[in-house]
């Protein structure tokens, strides 16, 4: 064995959606919109949102339980829990710590990470580096959001978009040739004002006035974010593929952030990828920010759209602005899919 760093891979996935279903017809009764507008401009038909009393950590628990079961990992064996979220249960303690206690993951270090819609990919790359260094053997990486709690249901420009959910991955060293082959992370704070939650932090602490002005809700310049998302996701995908030494044609399935079907289609067109090579579930889930990629990835695996040996491209873009991309050769959970020859591809990161 060489002394080269270990490459991390995903050993099990799980997902959990908010328990209430919010349809386009429901939204027609809340704001001046129509099912037709929402379908044509976004591709979304319905989204799942939290029930009363539910919170982000409840979604994380549901997703994590499935991921741990599928990976055959006991929570006590986790070394690291990383929850990517912009909607934690509380500003602090971290949602990751709440989950650590509820799972009984006694020896795990736990922290939250905030990279908005790119959060799961950021988390995956952070876990990969911990594993490569030898500091961590088994990590739980979760993207989880309760966006309905920060959505203004009087603002038709945003309220039709968002859903609540969590997607979890158990991450450990992959067999040689499998796992993360390349990745890319980036950010551009100059675009922070395009998508943000104005109040509730130290700049504009909660007050009766900020609440009256509805400043605790998401505000977005949709058309500007749209343009940047298409351009940046295409570039980020190319950089992770380059780092992996692969080409667009080598990708078996792309799992993009699920913000808007027109964004996904535009990115796929730029990459020359036909619809069957692109995972889409935003029609049923809406935009779940950091949860979108892992929930879509979990669904793709359960639907048999990803087999052992496949090259999978994850790519996301979101508030910050942030973006990230990861290329994996799929190893899968124990017993999942059929064995194929691995390429022996090494790891690299741009
Ligand atoms: O997850 C992080 C990244 N987020 C995203 O990637 C979201 C990116 N942005 C988008 O998906 C799209 O920009 C939206 C779906 C948010 C908006 O679609 P758009 O095609 O960019 O519409 P627009 O904002 O340019 O608005 C076009 C028209 C406007 O009316 P006027 O001014 O032309 O009369 C809006 O007021 O559509 C109107 N409109 C609506 N009409 C009916 C905006 N929202 C709605 C609505 N129902 N829900």
């Amino acid at each position: 064995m060489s002394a080269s760093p270990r490459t991390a891979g995903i050993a099990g996935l799980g997902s959990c959606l908010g328990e209430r279903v919010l349809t386009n017809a429901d939204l027609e009764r809340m704001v001046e919109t129509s099912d037709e507008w929402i379908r044509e401009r976004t591709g979304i038909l319905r989204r799942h949102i939290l029930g009363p009393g539910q919170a982000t950590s409840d979604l994380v628990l549901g997703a994590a339980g499935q991921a741990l079961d599928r990976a055959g990992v006991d929570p006590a064996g986790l070394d690291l829990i990383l929850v990517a979220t912009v909607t934690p249960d509380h500003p602090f303690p971290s949602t990751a710590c709440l989950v650590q206690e509820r799972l009984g993951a006694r020896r795990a270090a736990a922290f939250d990470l905030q990279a908005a819609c790119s959060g799961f990919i950021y988390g995956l790359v952070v876990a990969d580096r911990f594993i490569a260094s030898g500091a961590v053997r088994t990590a739980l990486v979760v993207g989880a959001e309760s966006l309905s709690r920060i959505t203004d249901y009087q603002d038709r420009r945003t309220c039709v978009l968002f859903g609540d959910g969590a997607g979890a991955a158990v991450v450990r060293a992959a067999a040689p040739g499998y796992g993360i082959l390349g990745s890319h992370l980036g950010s551009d704070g100059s675009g922070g004002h395009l998508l943000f939650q104005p109040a509730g932090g130290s700049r504009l602490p909660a007050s009766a006035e900020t609440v009256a002005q509805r400043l605790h809700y998401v505000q977005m310049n949709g058309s500007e974010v749209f343009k940047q998302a298409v351009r940046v996701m295409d570039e980020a995908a190319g950089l992770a593929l380059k780092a992996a030494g692969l080409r667009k044609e080598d990708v078996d399935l792309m799992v993009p952030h699920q913000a808007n079907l027109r964004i996904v289609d535009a990115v796929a067109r730029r990459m020359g990828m036909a619809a069957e090579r692109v995972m889409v579930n935003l029609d049923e889930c809406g935009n779940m920010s950091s949860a979108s990629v892992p929930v879509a990835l979990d669904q793709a695996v359960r639907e048999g759209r990803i087999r052992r040996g496949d090259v999978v491209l994850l790519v996301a873009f979101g508030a910050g602005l942030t973006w990230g991309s990861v290329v994996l050769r799929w190893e899968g959970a124990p017993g999942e899919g059929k064995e194929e020859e691995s390429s022996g591809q090494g790891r690299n990161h741009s």
Side-chain angles (χ1 to χ4, degrees):
M1 286 290 288
S2 76
S4 63
R6 281 157 275 221
T7 297
I10 293 177
L13 285 159
S15 47
C16 179
L17 303 177
E19 65 190 22
R20 282 182 56 203
V21 175
L22 187 65
T23 65
N24 291 352
D26 294 330
L27 287 159
E28 282 178 341
R29 290 188 283 275
M30 296 159 73
V31 287
E32 198 182 327
T33 191
S34 65
D35 174 50
E36 188 189 4
W37 192 97
I38 302 171
R39 278 175 197 253
E40 283 179 3
R41 305 308 293 170
T42 72
I44 300 167
L45 309 182
R46 58 188 66 81
R47 61 295 285 145
H48 299 254
I49 62 169
L50 294 185
Q54 271 193 304
T56 300
S57 64
D58 302 318
L59 300 174
V60 176
L61 257 283
Q66 289 177 8
L68 289 161
D69 278 354
R70 289 174 183 156
V73 167
D74 191 286
L78 289 173
D79 304 305
L80 176 68
I81 298 175
L82 216 163
V83 176
T85 185
V86 297
T87 47
D89 286 25
H90 310 281
F92 67 89
S94 69
T95 300
C97 280
L98 302 178
V99 168
Q100 182 265 343
E101 193 273 330
R102 288 174 70 184
L103 280 175
R106 289 179 296 281
R107 70 162 209 244
F111 65 98
D112 286 0
L113 180 156
Q114 210 267 64
C117 304
S118 316
F120 177 78
I121 290 178
Y122 267 65
L124 204 52
V125 172
V126 170
D128 176 52
R129 305 297 159 90
F130 269 111
I131 289 166
S133 76
V136 160
R137 207 174 127 84
T138 309
L140 178 70
V141 178
V142 191
E145 302 292 359
S146 301
L147 294 175
S148 64
R149 301 291 200 234
I150 59 165
T151 294
D152 186 350
Y153 287 101
Q154 294 180 15
D155 177 5
R156 69 176 183 174
R157 293 165 305 168
T158 52
C159 74
V160 300
L161 303 173
F162 300 122
D164 300 335
V170 172
V171 181
R172 357 175 55 161
Y178 292 95
I180 296 178
L181 306 178
S183 65
H184 171 75
L185 300 180
S187 63
D188 175 8
S190 72
H193 61 287
L194 297 174
L195 176 50
F196 76 129
Q197 185 184 351
S202 60
R203 178 68 64 195
L204 211 50
S207 68
E209 201 177 318
T210 60
V211 172
Q213 291 176 9
R214 309 183 78 73
L215 295 174
H216 300 273
Y217 295 124
V218 176
Q219 294 187 2
M220 177 167 69
N221 178 337
S223 52
E224 194 50 41
V225 172
F226 187 110
K227 276 184 250 164
Q228 302 229 23
V230 173
R231 181 180 56 79
V232 171
M233 288 215 282
D234 176 43
E235 282 172 14
L239 287 166
L241 283 165
K242 188 170 175 217
L246 294 173
R247 297 163 308 150
K248 293 172 180 180
E249 305 81 72
D250 298 319
V251 175
D252 293 293
L253 191 74
M254 173 167 74
V255 183
H257 175 48
Q258 308 281 311
N260 183 319
L261 187 57
R262 290 185 296 137
I263 295 177
V264 172
D265 285 347
V267 173
R269 246 191 330 273
R270 280 176 173 233
M271 295 189 60
M273 296 186 71
E276 58 271 18
R277 289 166 65 208
V278 182
M279 181 64 197
V280 172
N281 72 350
L282 60 82
D283 48 334
E284 294 293 324
C285 297
N287 177 350
M288 299 186 294
S289 190
S290 68
S292 280
V293 166
V295 169
L297 180 63
D298 178 38
Q299 189 178 329
V301 170
R302 283 186 288 106
E303 290 175 356
R305 293 185 65 181
I306 299 176
R307 310 293 296 264
R308 186 173 167 90
D310 281 354
V311 172
V312 179
L313 167 65
L314 313 179
V315 59
F317 173 85
L321 302 170
T322 59
W323 54 89
S325 48
V326 163
V327 176
L328 299 129
R329 188 173 298 281
W330 198 253
E331 183 179 19
E336 173 197 301
K338 284 216 322 254
E339 179 75 40
E340 284 174 25
E341 269 309 296
S342 96
S343 72
Q345 186 75 47
R347 58 186 281 125
N348 203 354
H349 301 277
S350 75

